[in-house]
Amino acid sequence: MTSYRLHRPEALRALTRAMITAAGWSEDEAKETAEHLVLANLSGHDSHGIGMLPLYFNSLADGNLKPQAKLSIRTEAGPFLIADGNVALGQPTARNAVDRAIVIARVGGVAVLNLLDSHHIGRIGHYSEVAAAAGLISVFWVNVAGRPPIVAPFAAKEARFGTNPIAIGLPVPGGEPLILDFATSRMAHGKARVALNKGVDVPEGYIIDGEGRPTVEPRHVFAQEGLPLGALLPFGDHKGAGLSLIAELLSAGLMGAARIDQKPHKTWIINSLFGVLIDPARLEPDESLRQQRIESYLSFVRAAAPQDPSQPVLAPGDKERATRIERERDGIPLDDETWSQIVAAAKAHGVDAESF
C-alpha cells in the first residue's frame, strides 16, 4: 500500500496557482482553479482535488487544452443563458457561467444555464455551494465526454456512459446549505484513480473487468495495453443508469455538444453542464418561514436513531463540512504516487513543488 503525507492547504493553493500561471493562464484563472481544487481536497473529495492537475497538464502538453481558450456567450435572453466553454480551463469557465446565471436568477427569479464543451469543471457540488451562497436553489446535470465510456448501463457488460454527476443545492437562511452531489456511477472515476494510486482495492459491486466479470481491482477501469477496458457500475442499478442517460442528453445532447460516444481523445475531459437556478423568495417570500420549515424537517431527520451510535444521521453537506474543519487543522493527505505525478507536472513548467 502506498504511503502518504499531509500538506498545508495554503501551500497547495500556492503551488496550484504557480503551476497554472507558469503554464500560461491568468492570475484570476489560477486563483479560481486553486481554490476549487483544494476545497475539493478539504471536503474529502480527493478524486476532484489537486490530483487532477497532472491530467490537465497532460491535456495541455497534447494541445487539447489551451490557455488562450475562453468562455463565449451564444445566447443570453430572458432566463436563458447558453455559453460555449470552448474546451477552456474548466473551473474558471464554469464559475464564470454560473456567476452570470446567478445574476439572471436574482433579477428574474429563475435562470436556465447550458454550458457547452468546457474542459473538466471539477466538483459539481462546488457550483451548488456558489449558488447557495447567493441565496439560490440550484440543480445541475453534467456529462463527461472526450474519453471512452467508463460506466456500464444496467444489465450491460460494457460501458456506454460517463460518470455524469448531478448536484442539488438548497440554501438555508441563517444556516449551512444542503448540498447533494453524486456521480451516477457507484463511485467517481477519480475515486478509482485515488484507489489505484494508493494501491488499494475498491468495494465489491463497484467495477467489472473488460470481460464483464466483477472485480475489486481499480486498474480495470484504466487503459492497459493488451487488456480490454472494464467499467464502473451505475448506482442503484436502473435508477443511476437512467439518471446518467438523462444527464447526457440534457447537458450535451440537446444542444449538440460533445457526447460520450463521439470522438474520444484520451487526454481530454470535456464537460457540458445544464443547470436551473431558482430564487426561493419567489416561492416563499418570508425568509423566517423558509428557515423554520427547513430546519424543523432537518431536526426531524437528524433525530432518527442511528444504526451505529458512533455514526449519527447526517444531512447532505454535513460530512464535507466536518472534513473541512479536520483537514484545515491537520492538513490534506496526498499519497506518494499522486504527489510524484504533481511534482513531475510542476517541474515540466519550471515549478519546484517541493519548495511549497
Side-chain angles (χ1 to χ4, degrees), residues 69-76 81-88 93 96-97 100 114-116:
K70 307 295 177 186
L71 179 79
S72 60
I73 304 302
R74 183 185 299 188
T75 301
E76 190 169 357
L81 175 63
I82 301 172
D84 284 307
N86 298 309
V87 199
T93 299
N96 186 341
R100 288 169 180 261
N114 204 177
L115 170 64
L116 310 171

Side-chain angles (χ1 to χ4, degrees), residues 27-47:
E27 291 282 355
D28 286 344
E29 289 169 318
K31 181 180 179 183
E32 180 62 33
T33 305
E35 291 293 333
H36 185 124
L37 293 177
V38 175
L39 184 59
N41 287 114
L42 284 170
S43 303
H45 297 294
D46 297 317
S47 57

Side-chain angles (χ1 to χ4, degrees), residues 223-249:
Q224 303 172 82
E225 188 174 352
L227 287 177
L229 187 64
L232 301 169
L233 294 175
F235 87 86
D237 298 331
H238 62 285
K239 299 174 185 177
L243 284 171
S244 185
L245 187 150
I246 295 298
E248 185 78 41
L249 292 176

Side-chain angles (χ1 to χ4, degrees), residues 4 70 83 101-102 107 112 123-124 131 145 152 160 177 193 229 238 251 257-258 269 291 314 331 355:
Y4 69 91
K70 307 295 177 186
I102 285 171
V107 172
V112 180
R123 185 176 66 92
I124 310 307
R160 285 293 184 269
R193 172 179 51 80
L229 187 64
H238 62 285
S251 61
I269 308 174
Q291 180 181 20
L314 302 176
S355 68

Side-chain angles (χ1 to χ4, degrees), residues 95 102 106 126-137 170-172 177 179:
R95 178 63 186 268
I102 285 171
R106 280 178 156 171
H126 185 95
Y127 305 104
S128 282
E129 290 184 346
V130 168
L136 301 175
I137 298 167
L170 183 67
V172 179
I179 305 293

